[in-house]
Amino acid sequence: MSYVGIIITFVFVENFILTKFLGLCPFIGVSKNTESAVGMGFAVTFVTSVASLATWAIQKLILQPLGLAFLQTITFILVIAALVQLLEMVIQKISPSLYKALGIYLPLITTNCAVLGIALIAVRSNYNALESFVAGFSAGLGFLLAILLMSTIRERMNTEWVPKPLRGVPIAFITGGLMALAFMAFDKALLRNLIG
Amino acid sequence: MLFMKILWAFLSVGLLGAIFGIGLYVASRFFAVKKDERIQQVVEALPGLNCGACGFAGCESYAEAIVTAEDVALDLCKPGGADTAMKLGSIMGKEVEFSAEKLVAQVHCRGGKETAEYKFDYEGIEDCNAAMLLYGGAKKCPFGCLGLGSCIKVCPVDAIDYDEDGLVWVDRDLCISCGKCVDICPTGVMKMIPYGADVIVACNSTDKGGVVRKYCKVGCIGCAKCTRSSPDGGFVIENFLAHIDYSKKGERSAALADCPTKCIIRTVKEVKIEESAHPLEAVAAQDSHDAD
């Protein structure tokens, strides 16, 4: 599959939040205002890109030659957790301003299932190294798109009248559901029409 | 064969974990960012409420500013008060003088649905500043409490709430004197008073007495009776509104009793059960008593 195809697939057709329902925790938790939502989105994009590349290497160089593919989940979690810690240290040293912008969100990403999700999907789809990286990057972009849309909607909803039992998280979930319906318009047929 | 596979699985995951562990240890040494130890000490000495009363984004940024910039004052933390200022002084090795009495916020208005006149029913956003945009609020009195609770929402410690009369009231024991409610209040009816103040003039209207009488039963009409009943109480009439100069320590109970509109009230609500140290306990005791 071409790289354009991978990007469109993971940003729109198989959007991690709105189609696959992965990473809902930060999607609901950090979408109260746009600024932190964008911060979270970029942090996730960063981690998914690097993590899918790293997990590809672990899979090809260690797990497959040893016939230990069944250990994917546990090793990938290990890799992702270590990677996020390392990234945090590196960013703190190299760019304090970026660390301040992403700072609080970086440790949270360790437990974001979207990161593990893209690593497993990339491995199952038999992507090569660059394809894995692009898939991870575009999955992060899809997350950024969804959380950005959600946060702007929620900011506007603050001034609207909402029935009392639905205020806060419940109405956010309903909104997310409606957004997911809208994203169903992006399907495989559309992808085929676009890139043949 | 199975044994070998288990061994490989064990070894590979174990080794990966060990490598990551050692790698992270090395990285943490290599990428260590040197931070002044005193910053952590200062953060621990601060109350950690992140209220922003000091003018910095939170306790951590204030701590950083104290340690890195020399000219930042040490007595800016209002919630911490004198104790915190002393601790900061001992950490930074500076002399700190902290003499000001703790200030608390209080709503200077008791006009509710029964006592004050309304121009219209407001059904918009529950926000005082939004309500203020619409003909200056629903009350005929342009100075009073709009009662939509912007201060309740902004208070970082939940010290403000509606009392049993449905009016906004500050619990002075919970108040940390951050002043956020004073800043957000569009009418200026929220004012800072000393913690030890016994009474307040619960009115903010500078209209003439006759005008006040028309729109509020519990407003200050500027009759100056309080200045005569309690001459040492520090009562001053200014713009038809009584103020209290809290530096005067004379008795004020005569004024409290004589005020014709009863707008001079106690800062601690009178509770029916006597001999109770804390007002909250008294209320709880009363509740259980009622249940009996």
Side-chain angles (χ1 to χ4, degrees), chain A residues 6-26:
Chain A
I6 292 178
I7 293 175
I8 293 175
T9 302
F10 285 109
V11 175
F12 296 108
V13 181
E14 307 233 313
N15 187 295
F16 262 64
I17 287 172
L18 298 174
T19 315
K20 291 200 172 298
F21 303 109
L22 289 171
L24 285 179
C25 172

mmCIF file of all heavy atoms in Angstrom, chain A residues 6-26:
data_model
loop_
_atom_site.group_PDB
_atom_site.id
_atom_site.type_symbol
_atom_site.label_atom_id
_atom_site.label_comp_id
_atom_site.label_asym_id
_atom_site.label_seq_id
_atom_site.Cartn_x
_atom_site.Cartn_y
_atom_site.Cartn_z
ATOM 1 N N ILE A 6 -1.721 4.851 3.385
ATOM 2 C CA ILE A 6 -1.579 4.616 4.832
ATOM 3 C C ILE A 6 -2.022 5.845 5.611
ATOM 4 O O ILE A 6 -2.759 5.758 6.596
ATOM 5 C CB ILE A 6 -0.108 4.265 5.178
ATOM 6 C CG1 ILE A 6 0.234 2.902 4.595
ATOM 7 C CG2 ILE A 6 0.101 4.266 6.681
ATOM 8 C CD1 ILE A 6 1.651 2.487 4.836
ATOM 9 N N ILE A 7 -1.588 7.008 5.118
ATOM 10 C CA ILE A 7 -1.938 8.237 5.847
ATOM 11 C C ILE A 7 -3.450 8.418 5.873
ATOM 12 O O ILE A 7 -4.049 8.634 6.938
ATOM 13 C CB ILE A 7 -1.253 9.460 5.188
ATOM 14 C CG1 ILE A 7 0.264 9.354 5.373
ATOM 15 C CG2 ILE A 7 -1.770 10.759 5.812
ATOM 16 C CD1 ILE A 7 1.042 10.425 4.663
ATOM 17 N N ILE A 8 -4.093 8.294 4.686
ATOM 18 C CA ILE A 8 -5.554 8.498 4.643
ATOM 19 C C ILE A 8 -6.249 7.434 5.487
ATOM 20 O O ILE A 8 -7.210 7.724 6.208
ATOM 21 C CB ILE A 8 -6.052 8.471 3.185
ATOM 22 C CG1 ILE A 8 -5.500 9.681 2.442
ATOM 23 C CG2 ILE A 8 -7.569 8.503 3.141
ATOM 24 C CD1 ILE A 8 -5.818 9.697 0.988
ATOM 25 N N THR A 9 -5.750 6.211 5.423
ATOM 26 C CA THR A 9 -6.362 5.139 6.209
ATOM 27 C C THR A 9 -6.382 5.496 7.686
ATOM 28 O O THR A 9 -7.422 5.447 8.336
ATOM 29 C CB THR A 9 -5.569 3.832 6.032
ATOM 30 O OG1 THR A 9 -5.542 3.514 4.653
ATOM 31 C CG2 THR A 9 -6.230 2.703 6.803
ATOM 32 N N PHE A 10 -5.223 5.884 8.231
ATOM 33 C CA PHE A 10 -5.158 6.035 9.685
ATOM 34 C C PHE A 10 -5.666 7.387 10.170
ATOM 35 O O PHE A 10 -6.034 7.512 11.331
ATOM 36 C CB PHE A 10 -3.741 5.768 10.190
ATOM 37 C CG PHE A 10 -3.417 4.305 10.193
ATOM 38 C CD1 PHE A 10 -2.532 3.767 9.286
ATOM 39 C CD2 PHE A 10 -4.047 3.462 11.086
ATOM 40 C CE1 PHE A 10 -2.257 2.420 9.279
ATOM 41 C CE2 PHE A 10 -3.782 2.112 11.083
ATOM 42 C CZ PHE A 10 -2.883 1.580 10.180
ATOM 43 N N VAL A 11 -5.679 8.403 9.295
ATOM 44 C CA VAL A 11 -6.233 9.679 9.753
ATOM 45 C C VAL A 11 -7.750 9.656 9.666
ATOM 46 O O VAL A 11 -8.435 10.103 10.585
ATOM 47 C CB VAL A 11 -5.653 10.857 8.940
ATOM 48 C CG1 VAL A 11 -6.327 12.156 9.349
ATOM 49 C CG2 VAL A 11 -4.161 10.962 9.157
ATOM 50 N N PHE A 12 -8.297 9.123 8.567
ATOM 51 C CA PHE A 12 -9.747 9.217 8.380
ATOM 52 C C PHE A 12 -10.451 7.865 8.470
ATOM 53 O O PHE A 12 -11.327 7.662 9.305
ATOM 54 C CB PHE A 12 -10.059 9.859 7.021
ATOM 55 C CG PHE A 12 -9.585 11.262 6.915
ATOM 56 C CD1 PHE A 12 -8.500 11.591 6.121
ATOM 57 C CD2 PHE A 12 -10.213 12.266 7.625
ATOM 58 C CE1 PHE A 12 -8.058 12.891 6.036
ATOM 59 C CE2 PHE A 12 -9.782 13.568 7.536
ATOM 60 C CZ PHE A 12 -8.701 13.886 6.731
ATOM 61 N N VAL A 13 -10.073 6.912 7.596
ATOM 62 C CA VAL A 13 -10.854 5.687 7.459
ATOM 63 C C VAL A 13 -10.820 4.866 8.743
ATOM 64 O O VAL A 13 -11.839 4.372 9.222
ATOM 65 C CB VAL A 13 -10.323 4.861 6.270
ATOM 66 C CG1 VAL A 13 -11.162 3.601 6.109
ATOM 67 C CG2 VAL A 13 -10.359 5.677 5.004
ATOM 68 N N GLU A 14 -9.636 4.717 9.324
ATOM 69 C CA GLU A 14 -9.523 3.937 10.548
ATOM 70 C C GLU A 14 -9.066 4.842 11.676
ATOM 71 O O GLU A 14 -8.156 4.494 12.424
ATOM 72 C CB GLU A 14 -8.516 2.798 10.353
ATOM 73 C CG GLU A 14 -8.820 1.964 9.140
ATOM 74 C CD GLU A 14 -8.910 0.496 9.477
ATOM 75 O OE1 GLU A 14 -8.020 0.028 10.185
ATOM 76 O OE2 GLU A 14 -9.864 -0.148 9.010
ATOM 77 N N ASN A 15 -9.704 5.999 11.773
ATOM 78 C CA ASN A 15 -9.346 6.931 12.840
ATOM 79 C C ASN A 15 -9.379 6.202 14.190
ATOM 80 O O ASN A 15 -10.352 5.531 14.523
ATOM 81 C CB ASN A 15 -10.321 8.099 12.845
ATOM 82 C CG ASN A 15 -9.913 9.177 13.812
ATOM 83 O OD1 ASN A 15 -9.898 8.958 15.003
ATOM 84 N ND2 ASN A 15 -9.544 10.325 13.297
ATOM 85 N N PHE A 16 -8.303 6.357 14.952
ATOM 86 C CA PHE A 16 -8.165 5.536 16.156
ATOM 87 C C PHE A 16 -9.260 5.773 17.172
ATOM 88 O O PHE A 16 -9.695 4.851 17.839
ATOM 89 C CB PHE A 16 -6.783 5.781 16.791
ATOM 90 C CG PHE A 16 -5.827 4.721 16.403
ATOM 91 C CD1 PHE A 16 -5.452 4.564 15.090
ATOM 92 C CD2 PHE A 16 -5.343 3.836 17.343
ATOM 93 C CE1 PHE A 16 -4.609 3.554 14.720
ATOM 94 C CE2 PHE A 16 -4.488 2.825 16.985
ATOM 95 C CZ PHE A 16 -4.119 2.683 15.673
ATOM 96 N N ILE A 17 -9.697 7.015 17.279
ATOM 97 C CA ILE A 17 -10.716 7.289 18.286
ATOM 98 C C ILE A 17 -12.104 7.016 17.744
ATOM 99 O O ILE A 17 -12.894 6.294 18.332
ATOM 100 C CB ILE A 17 -10.606 8.752 18.750
ATOM 101 C CG1 ILE A 17 -9.373 8.910 19.624
ATOM 102 C CG2 ILE A 17 -11.837 9.156 19.512
ATOM 103 C CD1 ILE A 17 -9.070 10.314 19.971
ATOM 104 N N LEU A 18 -12.384 7.582 16.557
ATOM 105 C CA LEU A 18 -13.771 7.611 16.102
ATOM 106 C C LEU A 18 -14.171 6.346 15.349
ATOM 107 O O LEU A 18 -15.353 6.123 15.121
ATOM 108 C CB LEU A 18 -13.994 8.844 15.229
ATOM 109 C CG LEU A 18 -13.770 10.145 15.987
ATOM 110 C CD1 LEU A 18 -13.859 11.340 15.079
ATOM 111 C CD2 LEU A 18 -14.769 10.275 17.116
ATOM 112 N N THR A 19 -13.227 5.515 14.931
ATOM 113 C CA THR A 19 -13.595 4.272 14.268
ATOM 114 C C THR A 19 -13.198 3.059 15.103
ATOM 115 O O THR A 19 -13.932 2.102 15.222
ATOM 116 C CB THR A 19 -12.915 4.176 12.889
ATOM 117 O OG1 THR A 19 -13.062 5.434 12.249
ATOM 118 C CG2 THR A 19 -13.575 3.110 12.049
ATOM 119 N N LYS A 20 -12.007 3.135 15.689
ATOM 120 C CA LYS A 20 -11.520 1.979 16.446
ATOM 121 C C LYS A 20 -11.798 2.104 17.946
ATOM 122 O O LYS A 20 -11.629 1.145 18.690
ATOM 123 C CB LYS A 20 -10.013 1.815 16.228
ATOM 124 C CG LYS A 20 -9.676 1.393 14.815
ATOM 125 C CD LYS A 20 -8.310 0.776 14.769
ATOM 126 C CE LYS A 20 -8.003 0.176 13.422
ATOM 127 N NZ LYS A 20 -8.901 -0.909 13.050
ATOM 128 N N PHE A 21 -12.184 3.305 18.410
ATOM 129 C CA PHE A 21 -12.498 3.540 19.826
ATOM 130 C C PHE A 21 -11.334 3.159 20.739
ATOM 131 O O PHE A 21 -11.502 2.534 21.776
ATOM 132 C CB PHE A 21 -13.774 2.809 20.226
ATOM 133 C CG PHE A 21 -14.932 3.209 19.380
ATOM 134 C CD1 PHE A 21 -15.472 2.341 18.462
ATOM 135 C CD2 PHE A 21 -15.443 4.486 19.476
ATOM 136 C CE1 PHE A 21 -16.520 2.737 17.656
ATOM 137 C CE2 PHE A 21 -16.493 4.889 18.673
ATOM 138 C CZ PHE A 21 -17.033 4.009 17.758
ATOM 139 N N LEU A 22 -10.129 3.539 20.327
ATOM 140 C CA LEU A 22 -8.949 3.359 21.183
ATOM 141 C C LEU A 22 -8.561 4.741 21.722
ATOM 142 O O LEU A 22 -8.763 5.747 21.055
ATOM 143 C CB LEU A 22 -7.787 2.793 20.377
ATOM 144 C CG LEU A 22 -7.910 1.332 19.925
ATOM 145 C CD1 LEU A 22 -6.789 0.996 18.969
ATOM 146 C CD2 LEU A 22 -7.877 0.420 21.119
ATOM 147 N N GLY A 23 -7.993 4.764 22.897
ATOM 148 C CA GLY A 23 -7.519 6.035 23.460
ATOM 149 C C GLY A 23 -8.644 6.976 23.850
ATOM 150 O O GLY A 23 -8.511 8.190 23.769
ATOM 151 N N LEU A 24 -9.764 6.419 24.314
ATOM 152 C CA LEU A 24 -10.899 7.270 24.686
ATOM 153 C C LEU A 24 -10.637 8.040 25.973
ATOM 154 O O LEU A 24 -11.217 9.092 26.197
ATOM 155 C CB LEU A 24 -12.163 6.423 24.861
ATOM 156 C CG LEU A 24 -12.799 5.941 23.569
ATOM 157 C CD1 LEU A 24 -14.016 5.092 23.877
ATOM 158 C CD2 LEU A 24 -13.207 7.102 22.691
ATOM 159 N N CYS A 25 -9.747 7.509 26.814
ATOM 160 C CA CYS A 25 -9.507 8.158 28.107
ATOM 161 C C CYS A 25 -8.963 9.575 27.944
ATOM 162 O O CYS A 25 -9.557 10.523 28.450
ATOM 163 C CB CYS A 25 -8.585 7.297 28.956
ATOM 164 S SG CYS A 25 -8.051 8.104 30.449
ATOM 165 N N PRO A 26 -7.840 9.774 27.207
ATOM 166 C CA PRO A 26 -7.407 11.160 27.010
ATOM 167 C C PRO A 26 -8.373 11.940 26.135
ATOM 168 O O PRO A 26 -8.493 13.155 26.280
ATOM 169 C CB PRO A 26 -6.043 11.012 26.326
ATOM 170 C CG PRO A 26 -6.028 9.654 25.767
ATOM 171 C CD PRO A 26 -6.895 8.819 26.637
#
